[in-house]
Amino acid sequence: CSQCGQELGDFQRPVSYFAELGAVYQQKKRYLAAVTAWQAVASLEPDHPQLHLELGKAHLGTGRPDRAWSSLQRALKQTPDAVELHFTLGELSRQRGERQQAYEHYYNVIQREPGHGLAWFQLAKILHQANKLQEASQAYRRAKKLLPPGTSAHDQIQIQLERLHPSLPENMI
């Protein structure tokens, strides 16, 4: 491990150390390091409650969708109602071009957590691609209300709404 200098498999630190390390690597988009940290967690505590979700997210970040899918399916068996899990499965399905499955996962997220702005945004994009423009517009508007102004997603939503409604003044979109 680059942080503690230990050889993999010779862990002297607690599981919480590696779980926190994996989360930090994930946040800093150092996905390969996150995979390594979560593999350390797996060797120390194979039933760790966040293991498969976080390992799946890390694999997704490294561009390994098959490994991500495998980990996320294990997580789904453990916590089938987890909002973050369904959002991540939506992201993976979207990346794989599985629009219907992505829609179902994002819809699952907003059913469980109606204030999840990013799920509304992703749902809107899928509806827009499917040429369901009225539904897409409603979902974009909902996402715009939920996401903080000045963020990339909020700005992208504004652009999409202007494309959907070019004749409306900006304050009416």
Side-chain angles (χ1 to χ4, degrees):
C1 169
S2 63
Q3 292 289 322
C4 68
Q6 297 178 73
E7 293 291 321
L8 287 180
D10 182 28
F11 304 119
Q12 298 170 2
R13 298 206 182 221
V15 171
S16 61
Y17 169 81
F18 292 102
E20 289 173 22
L21 188 61
V24 168
Y25 283 144
Q26 186 82 6
Q27 184 179 23
K28 295 184 181 270
K29 299 186 184 328
R30 294 187 55 202
Y31 300 114
L32 285 173
V35 167
T36 301
W38 285 105
Q39 287 171 336
V41 170
S43 70
L44 292 168
E45 188 180 328
D47 294 329
H48 187 280
Q50 290 294 103
L51 171 63
H52 298 295
L53 170 60
E54 297 302 329
L55 189 56
K57 287 169 38 180
H59 280 306
L60 188 58
T62 63
R64 297 180 184 152
D66 293 337
R67 289 184 182 180
W69 187 256
S70 175
S71 292
L72 294 172
Q73 290 304 306
R74 287 185 189 141
L76 194 57
K77 289 179 185 174
Q78 290 177 323
T79 55
D81 296 331
V83 169
E84 185 179 7
L85 173 59
H86 283 280
F87 185 81
T88 304
L89 283 164
E91 292 292 284
L92 177 58
S93 297
R94 184 178 55 79
Q95 288 180 14
R96 292 169 64 163
E98 299 167 348
R99 196 181 309 167
Q100 183 61 39
Q101 290 87 347
Y103 175 89
E104 290 169 11
H105 286 295
Y106 293 132
Y107 189 78
N108 187 310
V109 169
I110 62 172
Q111 289 299 304
R112 296 175 194 286
E113 191 177 310
H116 198 295
L118 288 176
W120 278 105
F121 180 40
Q122 295 299 353
L123 194 65
K125 290 195 295 189
I126 290 170
L127 291 165
H128 197 166
Q129 290 172 345
N131 210 29
K132 296 181 178 184
L133 303 182
Q134 185 175 358
E135 293 173 41
S137 180
Q138 291 170 346
Y140 279 130
R141 284 187 176 117
R142 182 72 181 264
K144 184 178 175 184
K145 287 180 183 176
L146 295 169
L147 294 170
T151 61
S152 174
H154 193 272
D155 295 343
Q156 290 175 37
I157 291 167
Q158 183 64 34
I159 291 167
Q160 293 305 323
L161 285 169
E162 288 171 5
R163 288 181 181 159
L164 284 170
H165 307 286
S167 62
L168 288 178
E170 187 175 323
N171 63 348
M172 294 189 67
I173 294 178

